[in-house]
């Protein structure tokens, strides 16, 4: 692509090396168009020839190897260099560049001759690739029995990475995945992995390739848990294909490369018992977000504790779910029964929400949006931001669902009724009662929510 002002174009790589060159101080390189499944190069208009009004796009088709050869030939032409030639001496009955075959009319056999023929590098490579598709015939033409051994090699099963992905996508396991967003992420992650390592077949993948992908993910400064998801999306496709081949040696070798991945801190709870977040740990996370100036994370922390909400659910909240005057949240949980979730919001929660919303300049009704103004899908991205703070505070043991556990535990300790705690937790209370529950928010439910606030923040009120 022609060099844009102030921007360095990113080009395709082959064997870990970027395919690009510089002509008269201008970058030119090999790019890929996903929609057309074809490689191309953009020749800057000043190099495209007389009368060119714009940069010229040259398509190089879908084979990377051929595209690289053609690209190099284009570069040589633009530089005015003579294309490299090779002298080919081959014992043959057919000149591969135009002569017809010589056959003995009596025996019907080829008449072998030695011919020395100059050919451009591109011509020779293309001819050789074509001829090697039929090694037995080539051996007959040349009289070189070694090609028979080569035939045995090319007959070995070559497993295309595209085949591995198609096997997975066409499987019942993939079709049973109900989360369409996860399907899209799997496809995007796989394509990103294949593009980065620049390989097309399983046999070509080395430990260096897998380590290169690992380094790439770490360079994006993703949370360890997010990197773990990316790694699993790729490795599960290799693992799934173990059942599709009799000889799994090559697949197991690649999976062994993934086992050498740097250890990731993806701690999860090892108990199903409710886990309570201590006030000092919550304060540490909250203050870390405050120091970072992340008003969104501050509001999320407070809202999840106040309303006993999972992070995935809070990412779905709408601004219109909240009545700031009455300090209430009324929404529906996306679960069996479509239960109502109703809570009274503390003054401190309202203050954090308003502070965050003042930083917004969009018109979206989504309560928490990404830096790009879009909704967090399944809380991805939002979870990463919070994970980074947990990791920085050395509090990976504090998981977000523990805030919900904390609300319920304190509710039991301070004597909040099961009915009122169910309203906040979003548990079923009976459809008839749910129709009228919002009328109780400023009476019974307000008192219940304030009891929990007072109990959790009582240390703070003592000034310790």
């Amino acid at each position: 692509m022609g060099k844009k002002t102030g921007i360095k174009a990113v080009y395709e790589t082959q064997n870990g090396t970027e395919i690009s060159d510089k002509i008269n101080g201008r970058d030119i390189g090999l790019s890929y168009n996903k929609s057309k499944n074809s490689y191309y190069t953009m020749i800057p208009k000043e190099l495209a020839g007389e009368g060119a009004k714009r940069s010229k796009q040259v398509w190089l088709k879908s084979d990377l190897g051929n595209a690289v050869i053609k690209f190099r030939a284009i570069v040589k032409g633009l530089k005015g260099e003579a294309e490299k030639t090779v002298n080919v001496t081959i014992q043959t009955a057919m000149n591969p560049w135009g002569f017809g075959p010589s056959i003995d009319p009596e025996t019907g056999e080829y008449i072998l001759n030695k011919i020395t023929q100059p050919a451009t590098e591109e011509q020779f490579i293309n001819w050789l690739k074509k001829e090697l598709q039929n090694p037995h015939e080539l051996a007959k033409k040349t009289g070189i029995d070694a090609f028979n051994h080569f035939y045995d090699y090319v007959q070995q099963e070559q497993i295309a990475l595209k085949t591995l992905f198609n096997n997975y996508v066409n499987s019942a396991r993939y079709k049973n995945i109900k989360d369409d967003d996860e399907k899209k992420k799997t496809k995007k992650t796989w394509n990103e992995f294949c593009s980065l390592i620049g390989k097309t077949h399983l046999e070509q993948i080395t430990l260096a390739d897998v380590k290169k992908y690992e380094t790439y993910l770490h360079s994006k400064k993703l949370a360890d848990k997010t990197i773990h998801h990316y790694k699993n999306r790729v490795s599960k496709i290799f693992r799934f294909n173990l059942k599709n081949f009799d000889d799994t040696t090559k697949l197991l070798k690649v999976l062994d490369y993934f086992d050498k991945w740097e250890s990731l801190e993806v701690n999860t709870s090892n108990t199903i018992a409710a886990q309570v977040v201590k006030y000092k740990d919550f304060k540490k996370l909250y203050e870390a977000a405050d120091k970072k100036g992340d008003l969104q994370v501050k509001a999320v922390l407070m809202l999840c504790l106040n309303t006993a909400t999972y992070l995935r659910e809070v990412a779905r909240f709408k601004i219109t779910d909240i009545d700031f005057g009455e300090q209430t949240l009324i929404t529906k949980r996306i679960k069996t029964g479509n239960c109502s979730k109703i809570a009274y919001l503390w003054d401190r929660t309202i203050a954090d929400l308003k502070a965050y919303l003042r930083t917004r300049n969009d018109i979206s009704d989504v309560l928490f949006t990404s830096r790009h103004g879009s909704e967090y899908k399944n809380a991805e991205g939002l979870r990463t931001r919070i994970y980074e703070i947990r990791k920085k505070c050395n509090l990976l043991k504090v998981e977000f669902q523990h805030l919900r556990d904390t609300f319920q535990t304190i509710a039991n300790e301070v004597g909040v009724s099961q009915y009122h705690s169910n309203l906040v937790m979003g548990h079923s209370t009976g459809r008839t009662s749910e129709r009228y529950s919002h009328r109780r928010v400023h009476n019974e439910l307000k008192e219940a929510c304030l009891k929990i606030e007072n109990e959790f923040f009582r240390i703070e009120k003592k000034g310790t």
Side-chain angles (χ1 to χ4, degrees), residues 193 205-211 213-214 228 231-232 234-236 238-239 242 249-264:
F193 169 75
I205 298 178
T206 65
L207 176 60
D209 292 324
V210 176
K211 284 295 182 183
Y213 183 58
E214 177 185 0
H228 184 72
K231 169 193 171 186
N232 276 356
V234 175
S235 61
K236 74 181 176 185
F238 290 112
R239 192 173 293 108
L242 287 171
T249 305
K250 299 168 186 174
L251 279 165
L252 289 171
K253 189 174 183 180
V254 172
L255 285 170
D256 181 58
Y257 296 154
F258 280 91
D259 289 338
K260 293 179 170 59
W261 200 281
E262 181 180 320
S263 178
L264 301 174

Side-chain angles (χ1 to χ4, degrees), residues 223-225 228 262-268 387 391 394 396:
D224 282 357
K225 204 164 191 176
H228 184 72
E262 181 180 320
S263 178
L264 301 174
E265 300 178 64
V266 288
N267 303 29
T268 55
Y387 185 86
K391 186 176 180 180
N394 196 27
L396 290 175

Side-chain angles (χ1 to χ4, degrees), residues 91-140:
Q91 184 176 344
T92 180
M94 179 185 289
N95 185 323
W97 304 290
F99 296 120
S102 299
I103 300 177
D104 188 317
E106 293 184 5
T107 64
E109 296 292 328
Y110 288 104
I111 299 174
L112 301 178
N113 300 298
K114 283 189 176 181
I115 298 174
T116 300
Q117 174 78 25
T120 65
E121 186 177 26
E122 182 181 355
Q123 282 179 316
F124 179 67
I125 291 174
N126 285 338
W127 169 81
L128 191 60
K129 286 174 67 175
K130 181 179 178 181
E131 290 294 308
L132 291 180
Q133 297 301 310
N134 193 342
H136 278 313
E137 184 68 15
L138 189 60
K140 187 176 180 181

Side-chain angles (χ1 to χ4, degrees), residues 171-173 238-246 248 251:
S171 69
R173 180 188 299 182
F238 290 112
R239 192 173 293 108
F240 169 83
N241 277 278
L242 287 171
K243 65 181 182 181
N244 292 325
F245 299 93
D246 292 331
T248 60
L251 279 165

Side-chain angles (χ1 to χ4, degrees), residues 13-17 161 193-194 196-216 254 257-258 261:
T13 59
Q14 184 185 42
N15 299 325
T17 303
L161 296 180
F193 169 75
C194 294
L196 182 75
I197 66 173
K199 304 297 173 59
T200 57
H201 287 74
L202 177 67
E203 295 77 11
Q204 299 170 331
I205 298 178
T206 65
L207 176 60
D209 292 324
V210 176
K211 284 295 182 183
K212 181 179 180 181
Y213 183 58
E214 177 185 0
T215 303
Y216 165 73
V254 172
Y257 296 154
F258 280 91
W261 200 281

Side-chain angles (χ1 to χ4, degrees), residues 80-325:
E81 298 176 357
E83 190 172 6
K84 183 179 178 180
T85 61
V86 291
N87 286 323
V88 181
T89 301
I90 187 167
Q91 184 176 344
T92 180
M94 179 185 289
N95 185 323
W97 304 290
F99 296 120
S102 299
I103 300 177
D104 188 317
E106 293 184 5
T107 64
E109 296 292 328
Y110 288 104
I111 299 174
L112 301 178
N113 300 298
K114 283 189 176 181
I115 298 174
T116 300
Q117 174 78 25
T120 65
E121 186 177 26
E122 182 181 355
Q123 282 179 316
F124 179 67
I125 291 174
N126 285 338
W127 169 81
L128 191 60
K129 286 174 67 175
K130 181 179 178 181
E131 290 294 308
L132 291 180
Q133 297 301 310
N134 193 342
H136 278 313
E137 184 68 15
L138 189 60
K140 187 176 180 181
K141 289 179 184 179
T142 61
I144 302 175
D145 291 333
F147 278 112
N148 288 316
H149 299 292
F150 183 81
Y151 176 77
D152 293 334
Y153 172 77
V154 297
Q155 282 299 99
Q156 294 179 12
E157 187 175 30
Q158 304 289 301
I159 303 175
L161 296 180
K162 185 177 181 179
T163 299
L164 298 182
F165 183 73
N166 289 340
N167 288 345
Y168 176 68
V169 169
N170 294 324
S171 69
R173 180 188 299 182
Y174 180 83
K175 292 174 182 177
N176 287 334
I177 298 175
K178 301 188 184 303
D179 190 342
D180 289 335
D181 190 54
E182 180 58 28
K183 289 182 178 179
K184 291 178 183 177
K185 287 180 179 177
T186 299
K187 181 178 180 180
K188 181 179 178 182
T189 302
W190 177 259
N191 289 340
E192 188 177 52
F193 169 75
C194 294
S195 176
L196 182 75
I197 66 173
K199 304 297 173 59
T200 57
H201 287 74
L202 177 67
E203 295 77 11
Q204 299 170 331
I205 298 178
T206 65
L207 176 60
D209 292 324
V210 176
K211 284 295 182 183
K212 181 179 180 181
Y213 183 58
E214 177 185 0
T215 303
Y216 165 73
L217 292 180
H218 281 291
S219 71
K220 296 176 70 174
K221 297 182 179 179
L222 301 172
D224 282 357
K225 204 164 191 176
T226 304
I227 292 175
H228 184 72
H229 289 321
Y230 277 95
K231 169 193 171 186
N232 276 356
R233 288 188 189 115
V234 175
S235 61
K236 74 181 176 185
I237 294 173
F238 290 112
R239 192 173 293 108
F240 169 83
N241 277 278
L242 287 171
K243 65 181 182 181
N244 292 325
F245 299 93
D246 292 331
D247 183 0
T248 60
T249 305
K250 299 168 186 174
L251 279 165
L252 289 171
K253 189 174 183 180
V254 172
L255 285 170
D256 181 58
Y257 296 154
F258 280 91
D259 289 338
K260 293 179 170 59
W261 200 281
E262 181 180 320
S263 178
L264 301 174
E265 300 178 64
V266 288
N267 303 29
T268 55
S269 298
N270 55 7
T271 175
I272 61 173
Q275 302 290 302
V276 177
V277 178
K278 297 178 181 178
Y279 168 75
K280 65 177 183 179
D281 290 338
F282 180 86
K283 183 180 179 182
K284 191 173 181 180
L285 292 172
Y286 186 83
E287 289 180 346
D290 185 52
K291 185 177 180 180
K292 192 176 179 180
D294 198 329
L295 299 180
Q296 185 182 81
V297 171
K298 286 177 61 180
V300 169
L301 281 166
M302 197 62 71
L303 187 62
C304 284
L305 175 64
N306 187 168
T307 62
T309 306
Y310 291 126
L311 192 60
R312 186 169 182 171
E313 292 181 334
V314 85
R316 299 192 188 106
F317 283 175
K318 310 294 183 186
I319 297 175
T320 48
D321 291 337
I322 300 173
D323 185 327
F324 285 90

Side-chain angles (χ1 to χ4, degrees), residues 312-313 316 331-339:
R312 186 169 182 171
E313 292 181 334
R316 299 192 188 106
T331 187
K332 289 279 187 179
R333 292 188 71 199
I334 301 178
K335 58 170 289 184
T336 303
N338 203 23
C339 302

Side-chain angles (χ1 to χ4, degrees), residues 343-374:
Y344 175 82
L345 302 181
W346 306 326
D347 290 344
R348 64 181 80 225
T349 305
I350 291 291
D352 282 342
L353 285 171
K354 286 183 176 179
Y356 159 65
L357 289 174
R358 281 195 292 270
T359 67
R360 295 264 299 274
N361 55 10
D362 57 83
I363 59 173
S364 173
D365 189 37
V366 178
L367 181 57
F368 295 112
T369 58
S370 71
R371 291 184 175 93
H372 304 294
S374 58

